[in-house]
Amino acid sequence: MLSFASILIITVFGGLAAQILAALPFVSVFWQGQLSSLALVPAFLIIAYVWAGGFMGASVVGTMKTMMLTVLLFGTGAWLWWGSDWGTYVHWWQAGKITLVNHEAGLGWTQGIAMLVGIVSTQAYLQPIFASRSVRDARTGAITAGVLIILIGLVSAWIGMYMSDAYPNLSSPREAIPQFFLMEAPGWVAGAACAVILLSIVMTGAALTLSISTILNRDVIQRYTQRFRGEQQSLLVSRALILVVIGIAYVMVCWDDQALILHWAFLAMTLRGVTIFFPILFYLFHVKPISERWSILAVWGAPLFALVWTWVLLPLTGIDPLVVSSAWSLLALVLGWWVMKKSSQNQHEESR
């Protein structure tokens, strides 16, 4: 359990850094300054949000946030649809922006699979399901979220393509959505849009922060000591861990301020996915027992292999780390299962 917890903690930091990066353009709308100063704003907002409401508070406000974000982006999508002519869509198709079969589609498909695998393997996404009031609410919420996130993603990509044509000199891709509202929408709409999207980013960061602190507190600290198992002590430890987690993510953002949001997001999804996805499948489908040595190679080897591949071999091969590290994890688990099966057969023959 500790090995799972350790790797998951490391990988979720990437997702948290991506959220702080995503918040920077919306913070800069209201306040100009150095990146190190701007990054403090979403960091403190995440801390305040988690401390004030915790998980249940995030759930209640999250419903309102989701409704506002859905209305905002669907309204934007309708405006773009009626405001664009067919020549725009023909140009996008010829440029390969809205086709799934161009030379760059392979990377997009792989990143989509990485997102799917990462979501299935992440406590921050599973925790709301297990905290639901009933099975029906959990099922309804999961299906609704799945549909909405696809539609919201499509509208966001639509905005990005529009801004790429209309304002090709944008300083950074992460500036596309806030600049779209500032340049194309009335002032009150732009202010409301930036506030809603910033709230959405803060809530996502809060969920990731809460998941990391929960894993550290319950699965690491309380596993090895009983000093902090009281209600007040556990609360103080959780709040201290939240400060530490946000502090590390803040340093990561300041260290690599030119990083792309999706770089951190997909890397985090890949790392947590290859760590736990196939072990969970083997557990759910009762594919066991598996050799402990091979299990360790699968759990620790896959994410470390993914990191090495990302920084060293990806530029040379063009093969996404999800593919090779998933193959590593699956192969190690299958070999571990085969070793235990052969060992059991040999013991059975000897006993006869």
Side-chain angles (χ1 to χ4, degrees):
M1 183 64 184
L2 181 57
S3 57
F4 277 114
S6 302
I7 294 294
L8 289 175
I9 289 165
I10 295 171
T11 59
V12 174
F13 273 117
L16 184 55
Q19 297 305 313
I20 295 179
L21 276 173
L24 296 181
F26 298 95
V27 174
S28 63
V29 170
F30 304 100
W31 178 40
Q32 297 294 323
Q34 297 293 325
L35 180 138
S36 57
S37 301
L38 295 177
L40 286 173
V41 177
F44 282 123
L45 287 175
I46 292 172
I47 292 171
Y49 192 87
V50 179
W51 279 11
F55 177 72
M56 294 310 296
S59 300
V60 173
V61 180
T63 303
M64 299 173 58
K65 176 268 300 183
T66 302
M67 294 174 62
M68 292 187 294
L69 186 63
T70 302
V71 171
L72 171 67
L73 290 180
F74 273 79
T76 303
W79 181 85
L80 284 171
W81 173 263
W82 292 109
S84 302
D85 55 31
W86 284 107
T88 301
Y89 303 117
V90 172
H91 168 70
W92 288 350
W93 178 269
Q94 292 174 343
K97 294 183 177 182
I98 54 176
T99 176
L100 300 178
V101 294
N102 64 0
H103 66 282
E104 296 180 351
L107 178 61
W109 280 105
T110 307
Q111 290 176 337
I113 296 172
M115 184 186 70
L116 176 63
V117 171
I119 288 175
V120 173
S121 309
T122 304
Q123 180 184 356
Y125 300 108
L126 297 179
Q127 193 170 354
I129 296 177
F130 292 114
S132 299
R133 288 171 293 186
S134 66
V135 174
R136 180 180 179 182
D137 289 342
R139 185 184 299 113
T140 302
I143 294 174
T144 303
V147 173
L148 287 178
I149 197 170
I150 293 174
L151 297 177
I152 290 173
L154 289 174
V155 174
S156 300
W158 198 350
I159 294 174
M161 291 188 292
Y162 172 84
M163 293 298 290
S164 177
D165 290 346
Y167 304 94
N169 295 323
L170 283 177
S171 59
S172 173
R174 62 175 179 246
E175 299 282 343
I177 291 181
Q179 291 300 323
F180 169 80
F181 287 108
L182 289 174
M183 297 178 179
E184 301 291 338
W188 65 273
V189 174
C194 291
V196 170
I197 297 176
L198 180 60
L199 175 61
S200 176
I201 294 171
V202 168
M203 290 189 62
T204 304
L208 292 172
T209 304
L210 191 58
S211 69
I212 300 174
S213 61
T214 300
I215 293 172
L216 282 170
N217 190 13
R218 296 184 180 180
D219 298 332
V220 179
I221 295 177
Q222 293 190 19
R223 182 178 178 180
Y224 292 99
T225 179
Q226 298 183 357
R227 294 180 57 185
F228 306 108
R229 292 190 177 182
E231 183 176 348
Q232 291 297 326
Q233 293 89 340
S234 180
L235 179 61
L236 289 175
V237 170
S238 294
R239 290 185 171 179
L241 289 172
I242 289 168
L243 290 176
V244 172
V245 167
I246 293 295
I248 294 175
Y250 171 80
V251 171
M252 291 170 64
V253 169
C254 294
W255 171 61
D256 191 10
D257 60 328
Q258 297 300 318
L260 296 176
I261 298 170
L262 289 182
H263 169 77
W264 282 112
F266 285 127
L267 179 60
M269 290 288 188
T270 296
L271 291 176
R272 74 185 71 145
V274 299
T275 302
I276 199 174
F277 183 71
F278 281 115
I280 284 181
L281 289 184
F282 273 61
Y283 175 79
L284 291 177
F285 289 99
H286 303 287
V287 183
K288 56 183 181 180
I290 298 174
S291 168
E292 181 179 357
R293 179 181 300 177
W294 287 100
S295 299
I296 293 174
L297 283 175
V299 171
W300 283 98
L304 294 177
F305 188 35
L307 285 174
V308 173
W309 191 275
T310 299
W311 290 325
V312 179
L313 297 176
L314 177 60
L316 300 177
T317 63
I319 301 175
D320 193 272
L322 176 72
V323 177
V324 291
S325 53
S326 295
W328 173 296
S329 176
L330 180 60
L331 180 61
L333 292 171
V334 170
L335 288 175
W337 170 78
W338 181 79
V339 167
M340 294 300 293
K341 183 178 180 180
K342 294 294 291 184
S343 176
S344 178
Q345 289 177 350
N346 293 336
Q347 292 178 0
H348 180 68
E349 291 177 358
E350 292 175 0
S351 64
R352 293 178 59 185

